[in-house]
Amino acid sequence: MIRTKLESRLVGARKNLPKGAKAVLEALQKAPGMLSARDLSFRMKLSHHTKEEQSKSPGLTTIYRSLELLTRQGLVQAVSFGDQEKRYEVVEPGCHNHHLVCKSCKKSIKLRECLLASLEETIKRDYGFSVSEHLLELFGTCQSCELGTNLDNTDRR
Amino acid sequence: MIRTKLESRLVGARKNLPKGAKAVLEALQKAPGMLSARDLSFRMKLSHHTKEEQSKSPGLTTIYRSLELLTRQGLVQAVSFGDQEKRYEVVEPGCHNHHLVCKSCKKSIKLRECLLASLEETIKRDYGFSVSEHLLELFGTCQSCELGTNLDNTDRR
DNA sequence: TCATAACTGAAAACGGTTTCCATTTTCTCT
DNA sequence: AGAGAAAATGGAAACCGTTTTCAGTTATGA
């Protein structure tokens, strides 16, 4: 069977990811929240133990490339908070999340559903505009920070 | 009367803006849409005619500082589309806008009202989270691009 | 008018991301 | 298994928007 690598990826999807991308996906799955590329690189190095092993974890370039690939495949979502740095998280294939980001403890809560899905037809009606993508992140204070009961200072984005 | 410059700014608000900030605000008011800092710098230079005058238009540093000041005062809004570059636009003091950004003609339409205002109490109820800020931009295709009737190619962001 | 605070701009630093390019790994077909 | 092609990789450099630094200028208030 003649089939380019690109083609088999489209068929096999996440089965035949390059080694680097697999490693990135795994690291991202283990992570407690969203990670920047640099965070990822750091965590992946730590998860190896000997110095030799550490040198085996993918370089930043590969991490960026893998994130791009995984994002294209819909396995990972890039999240932008309006600052320079993008964060990444694993998603249900093809789905996306929005977040409540606590400005105090920096933790983020995933919204259980996309608030905009229903609004997009209203927009089509009112503005004649077909929405295909959107950016939505909410910032504020989470319950435990508001009540002062939050004892966990982990900066867990 | 003893009053620091900072204090009088808080009182006089937009009256006694520094020269650079005034110029930036004016340029932003004249602009057809959102402008990046670099766009602004470019346009401000063009709006002066002789070489000598051009050298009088504020440098990039001052532009960034002015934008920061104007944003703090609520006269200008920084808009993030999830890419590197921030764009700025004049707003009704203290208000904010969201946009429908056409991926084809790059023009953006201001939403007539904030779609989230009503949702924020739902969020408080469902998640115990108090939203104080949010990021919302919508991307897709505007009516004239969809119908193929858009003859205007101006990249007017 | 003098002293101080505010403002400005050029250049350098910065931080996240992308590109370049030479090397290594993996795949595919015999 | 082996040869040749395609894909993947990593370090260094480039990039790009933004911020900082610092020295000089301008405005303000007593």
Side-chain angles (χ1 to χ4, degrees):
Chain A
M1 178 175 51
I2 297 167
R3 184 184 269 172
T4 68
K5 218 159 188 205
L6 176 62
E7 284 171 330
S8 24
R9 181 177 307 126
L10 288 174
V11 174
R14 64 196 114 158
K15 313 284 179 181
N16 17 5
L17 287 170
K19 212 165 49 152
K22 247 182 231 158
V24 167
L25 185 56
E26 247 171 68
L28 224 39
Q29 273 158 345
K30 280 186 209 141
M34 285 171 270
L35 260 50
S36 71
R38 195 156 236 111
D39 291 344
L40 251 176
S41 163
F42 194 64
R43 286 179 66 98
M44 291 175 81
K45 269 184 198 126
L46 281 189
S47 77
H48 296 266
H49 302 306
T50 69
K51 278 227 167 137
E52 229 180 59
E53 275 180 333
Q54 283 186 23
S55 67
K56 275 181 212 149
S57 83
L60 249 195
T61 312
T62 298
I63 291 180
Y64 277 108
R65 277 189 289 230
S66 303
L67 288 170
E68 207 260 320
L69 173 65
L70 293 166
T71 303
R72 257 195 345 257
Q73 309 215 146
L75 302 172
V76 161
Q77 176 188 9
V79 181
S80 171
F81 287 168
D83 55 3
Q84 310 286 88
E85 193 172 38
K86 275 186 190 151
R87 271 141 265 227
Y88 300 85
E89 76 179 358
V90 179
V91 289
E92 296 291 309
C95 298
H96 72 273
N97 297 138
H98 302 293
H99 307 86
L100 303 170
V101 182
C102 180
K103 295 205 278 187
S104 163
C105 68
K106 301 289 191 289
K107 271 183 274 193
S108 69
I109 301 163
K110 248 177 251 185
L111 287 187
R112 290 187 281 275
E113 65 194 342
C114 173
L115 300 174
L116 297 178
S118 56
L119 294 175
E120 293 186 354
E121 35 188 295
T122 315
I123 286 169
K124 177 68 179 174
R125 181 161 34 74
D126 293 359
Y127 296 87
F129 189 101
S130 312
V131 175
S132 63
E133 286 176 58
H134 54 246
L135 202 59
L136 169 63
E137 301 298 331
L138 304 159
F139 307 91
T141 314
C142 71
Q143 197 155 35
S144 50
C145 283
E146 195 150 76
L147 300 173
T149 58
N150 185 15
L151 305 171
D152 177 3
N153 296 315
T154 322
D155 182 338
R156 192 178 298 166
R157 279 169 292 186
Chain B
M1 176 175 54
I2 298 167
R3 183 185 270 174
T4 68
K5 214 154 189 209
L6 176 62
E7 284 170 328
S8 26
R9 180 176 309 127
L10 289 174
V11 175
R14 64 196 114 159
K15 314 283 180 183
N16 17 4
L17 289 170
K19 209 164 50 151
K22 246 182 234 159
V24 167
L25 185 56
E26 245 170 72
L28 224 38
Q29 274 159 344
K30 279 187 212 142
M34 286 171 270
L35 259 49
S36 70
R38 196 154 236 116
D39 291 343
L40 252 176
S41 163
F42 193 64
R43 286 179 66 98
M44 291 174 81
K45 270 185 197 125
L46 282 189
S47 76
H48 296 266
H49 302 306
T50 70
K51 278 226 167 140
E52 231 179 57
E53 276 180 332
Q54 283 186 23
S55 68
K56 274 179 212 150
S57 82
L60 250 194
T61 313
T62 298
I63 291 180
Y64 277 108
R65 278 189 289 230
S66 303
L67 288 169
E68 207 260 321
L69 173 64
L70 293 167
T71 303
R72 257 196 345 257
Q73 308 216 144
L75 302 173
V76 161
Q77 176 189 8
V79 181
S80 172
F81 288 168
D83 55 5
Q84 309 286 89
E85 193 171 34
K86 275 186 189 150
R87 268 137 247 189
Y88 300 85
E89 75 178 357
V90 180
V91 288
E92 296 290 309
C95 299
H96 72 273
N97 298 137
H98 302 294
H99 308 84
L100 303 170
V101 182
C102 178
K103 296 205 278 188
S104 162
C105 68
K106 301 290 191 285
K107 271 183 273 194
S108 69
I109 300 163
K110 249 177 251 186
L111 287 187
R112 289 187 281 276
E113 65 193 342
C114 173
L115 300 174
L116 297 178
S118 56
L119 293 175
E120 292 185 355
E121 37 187 293
T122 315
I123 287 168
K124 178 69 180 174
R125 179 159 39 74
D126 294 358
Y127 296 87
F129 189 100
S130 312
V131 176
S132 63
E133 286 175 59
H134 54 245
L135 201 60
L136 169 62
E137 302 298 332
L138 305 161
F139 306 91
T141 314
C142 72
Q143 198 155 33
S144 49
C145 282
E146 196 150 75
L147 299 175
T149 58
N150 185 15
L151 305 172
D152 178 5
N153 296 314
T154 322
D155 183 340
R156 192 178 298 165
R157 280 170 291 187

